[in-house]
Amino acid sequence: TGLKYDERKEELPLTFRMGLASDWKWSQRHKTLVGLDVVKRREEPIRNNIGGEYLYDDGSVAMALRMGYRFGEDAGKLNFGLGIPYKQYRFDYSAQIMGGIGFSHFFTLGYFF
């Protein structure tokens, strides 16, 4: 129904998203994940995203390397990062290349219970 202010009414944001993913376990220590999604926001063209992850886990040390690409974006098209799980904790780092602006960096520390 939208949001109505004093004399103005605005549409609520609306996004449709659909995706597919597949993973392959190459051996006990090596795993790959590839994903694709399609995004349609209100009054914007359809955009596609693709990404992948390589996971190495030997039982004592694990690390995930990630990379993604957002088609149809002006900035932040290319993303890359890494994740390191340790017991119940997880550290994630990612970066986006923002064209002429440079890089945007993101850090996450998670705890699973």
Side-chain angles (χ1 to χ4, degrees), residues 74-76 96-104:
D74 294 332
Q96 284 184 338
I97 299 174
M98 299 298 289
I101 300 172
F103 288 90
S104 288

Side-chain angles (χ1 to χ4, degrees), residues 34-96:
V34 176
L36 168 72
D37 78 348
V38 178
V39 181
K40 172 66 173 117
R41 293 185 181 100
R42 186 186 306 265
E43 304 200 20
E44 289 186 14
I46 294 174
R47 304 198 188 234
N48 300 309
N49 306 315
I50 189 167
E53 175 183 83
Y54 165 75
L55 176 66
Y56 174 81
D57 186 356
D58 70 359
S60 62
V61 175
M63 181 170 32
L65 300 174
R66 302 179 185 114
M67 191 162 145
Y69 190 83
R70 296 171 11 171
F71 295 92
E73 297 289 335
D74 294 332
K77 291 181 181 186
L78 184 62
N79 303 280
F80 56 90
L82 65 94
I84 302 172
Y86 178 72
K87 295 184 181 180
Q88 291 179 287
Y89 299 95
R90 184 170 177 169
F91 171 77
D92 288 297
Y93 164 77
S94 67
Q96 284 184 338

